[in-house]
Each structure stands twice: as C-alpha cells, then as structure tokens.
Amino acid sequence: LAIMRQADTISEIKELHLEIHKTFLHYKELLELGVVPWQELLVRKTIGKTMDEYTVENANFLSLEQLLAYKIEIEPGEKVRYLVVKENHPNKKKRYQIEETLIISKNLEIQGYDIDYYTKQLWIALKEVWENFAPNGYFRFTPSRQILFEWTTA
C-alpha cells in the first residue's frame, strides 16, 4: 500500500507494477530463506466451538488440543494464534504449533514454517490489493517455490 500511495491517478498506480512485483518477490525470497521471524507469521483465528463440538480435526481443533496439553481451556469467541509448520503433514499433530508452545520452548522446537502456505497467503494478500491494477493475466498462476518468474509489461 505504501508503494501505491506514491501515485495520484490510476494510470500512475498501474505504472508501479514492476515495483510491486519486485516487492512481492523480495518478501517471497525472505520466506524461502526462512528468515522471517515466526512472530510475524502467526495466524490468528477465532474459536467458534467447544472442543467437543468439532467434527473435523482442523487448525482450530488441533490448536485447542495443544492448549489442553498445557491445561489451557479456550471458550468459543476467544482467539488462538499458531504457526503453520506444514499444512498438509500426514501427522495432523505436526501441522500447526500454537504460540504458547513457541514461547515456552524459546524457539528450540521450531522446525521452520510452511513456505508454500505462507507464499500462498502473500500472493492472496497481493491479489486483494493489486488485481484491479495488474496487467491482464498476472494472477493467472499461483506462485510456489518451483515457479519463480519475472513479470514484465510489454
């Protein structure tokens, strides 16, 4: 948004595309290098049910389960914060790590974070603010670690 504030007209905003794209690539690279502090990556979610009411072992349920191990009970409406370690890990208990565990462990147990998940979230955020100004086709592909391209305008 700071980059977009440099412009006064829609035409000037569109001219900022290359700078916007390079900024996206910079933050994507920081994610890939693993240098983004975990505190900046915490996902904040509102708990909508009691633990007994969940029928699926989603992020909220798994967070509640981790908190229960510390004898911390969360009621519906309260918030939890967690790091996405590996969103699609076959062992559901290794997908997310609650903030409390990260603080207590003093970072010793942090094995990293899900680069693909956070890159996707970065792309979604970019699309939210930039899709009306980007060149046609810019958001056709979702970037992953395998796809890193330079987008230029003709």
Side-chain angles (χ1 to χ4, degrees):
L1 292 175
I3 295 169
M4 292 173 70
R5 279 195 289 266
Q6 298 171 22
D8 293 321
T9 66
I10 290 176
S11 178
E12 289 175 355
I13 288 175
K14 289 181 177 185
E15 290 173 11
L16 295 170
H17 178 72
L18 190 56
E19 186 176 351
I20 293 284
H21 181 71
K22 285 180 179 179
T23 302
F24 167 79
L25 291 177
H26 169 74
Y27 284 104
K28 182 177 182 289
E29 181 179 18
L30 293 177
L31 286 168
E32 290 172 345
L33 291 172
V35 297
V36 180
W38 62 264
Q39 294 90 337
E40 294 180 21
L41 297 173
L42 292 173
V43 176
R44 182 176 173 212
K45 293 281 184 151
T46 302
I47 297 299
K49 308 173 187 177
T50 64
M51 196 165 167
D52 296 336
E53 294 174 311
Y54 281 96
T55 57
V56 178
E57 292 182 339
N58 62 14
N60 285 359
F61 174 83
L62 295 168
S63 296
L64 290 174
E65 198 172 56
Q66 288 181 36
L67 286 165
L68 197 56
Y70 290 102
K71 301 197 183 328
I72 300 172
E73 292 186 28
I74 302 290
E75 298 295 322
E78 291 185 75
K79 309 245 185 278
V80 293
R81 290 168 32 121
Y82 57 84
L83 181 72
V84 179
V85 178
K86 189 64 183 161
E87 186 180 34
N88 296 316
H89 196 287
N91 181 347
K92 292 178 183 179
K93 295 181 187 320
K94 294 185 178 184
R95 293 180 179 179
Y96 312 99
Q97 204 166 5
I98 57 170
E99 180 179 26
E100 289 77 0
T101 302
L102 297 167
I103 292 169
I104 291 169
S105 69
K106 301 207 186 306
N107 303 337
L108 297 177
E109 296 176 29
I110 299 173
Q111 322 262 308
Y113 49 79
D114 189 331
I115 293 168
D116 289 331
Y117 172 83
Y118 287 106
T119 299
K120 181 179 176 188
Q121 296 308 307
L122 181 63
W123 186 250
I124 290 168
L126 173 64
K127 187 175 182 181
E128 183 77 22
V129 297
W130 193 243
E131 78 177 322
N132 292 319
F133 309 107
N136 288 336
Y138 181 72
F139 289 103
R140 186 176 46 210
F141 300 106
T142 301
S144 69
R145 283 188 281 176
Q146 293 75 35
I147 302 172
L148 210 137
F149 57 92
E150 286 294 327
W151 185 274
T152 57
T153 55

